[in-house]
Amino acid sequence: MSLPRRLLLSSPALLAMPSLGRAQAAPRVRLMLDWTFQAPNAFALVARERGFFREAGVEVSVDRGQGSGAVPPALASGTHDMGYADINPAIRFLAQNTDSGLVAVAMLHDRSPLCAIVRADGPVRTPKDLEGRRLAAPEFDAGRQLFPAFAKAAGIDASKVNFLSVTPALREPMLVRREVDGVTGFVTTSALSLKSIGLDHPQQRVMMYYDHGLDLYGGALLTTRRFIQNNPEAVRRAVAALIRGFRDQLANPAAAMQVLRQAEPLIDLAQETERHQMNVQRVIVTENVRVNGLSSVDMARMQRGITAVEEAYGLQPRLQAAQLYTAEFLPPAADRRI
């Protein structure tokens, strides 16, 4: 999917930022991504390679990550200043570590990529049919961890679903070999992995959690209130540049994939292009985003998501949406349109 090139117009907010004097160093931000360099996080590389950070007056190092769950501890410990990760592990971390001051400063994915996938030629046709079946997933898989919330929303008796703990490398092959009835995970990961080993999209039945009542947000830009207090302008500039990179990737995905290949020469360009398209269609571009732009957060919906995560992990209800998310550092609405 290629969106209009008009998104690439320079942001007035960025151009209006005062230039830094020669004696004044640009503020520095250490950014940690959710995973290895892939299409969904390529926007950060775009912002770096296209000079958007420099034009915004901020110096940002971009480090690959080890999963969304690893980002909150890195921010809390101070090894990184900002991060990009799925919001739902961050909710769990903040609920368990309220003194960490973790906070989301931009919501880039209006929907969660969490899903369950079964074979299209198998007996599972609805979420309720998962009862009595076996699903494969790593124990740390977010789709597995939040399955109780999905089950509650979709009317599934979760006690009747048996999960097998497997490594990520074994998850999709077990479904192809019919050793399990389904898998859980991110659609942008599992659906493409299944296709690559012989189970193409028409042979898959994908049950997105958001299609069955679990309306969670997805990828977000994160930091801590401590870093904000000490570096508010750095956060503001980094967010503006990253959103500019995000919009640039939406407007010209082919160019963004070339930037990605420069950073990660061994990627499968066709697969990453498809991953980008799937991410756009299933996670990023919703009616809300079309009308209101990126990071147009409904705080009541955010609170419902928090409650679902707390219940899924057996946590006491304590976290409020205002603790988790702030729109204070977003660029103007015109710079968030798609």
Side-chain angles (χ1 to χ4, degrees), residues 209-273:
Y209 284 10
Y210 60 69
D211 281 334
H212 300 281
L214 188 58
D215 191 19
L216 302 174
Y217 284 103
L221 298 180
L222 305 168
T223 187
T224 63
R225 295 191 182 276
R226 180 179 63 252
F227 187 73
I228 285 175
Q229 182 177 0
N230 295 329
N231 307 273
E233 197 57 34
V235 174
R236 193 179 313 279
R237 296 178 183 191
V239 169
L242 286 164
I243 288 180
R244 187 180 176 193
F246 195 83
R247 295 172 74 224
D248 191 296
Q249 180 173 341
L250 292 177
N252 193 344
M257 293 306 99
Q258 291 301 325
V259 170
L260 174 61
R261 188 159 68 172
Q262 290 172 10
E264 198 70 77
L266 297 180
I267 66 164
D268 182 327
L269 188 60
Q271 184 179 67
E272 291 307 315
T273 298

Side-chain angles (χ1 to χ4, degrees), residues 26 58 80 87:
V58 62
H80 287 80
I87 191 67

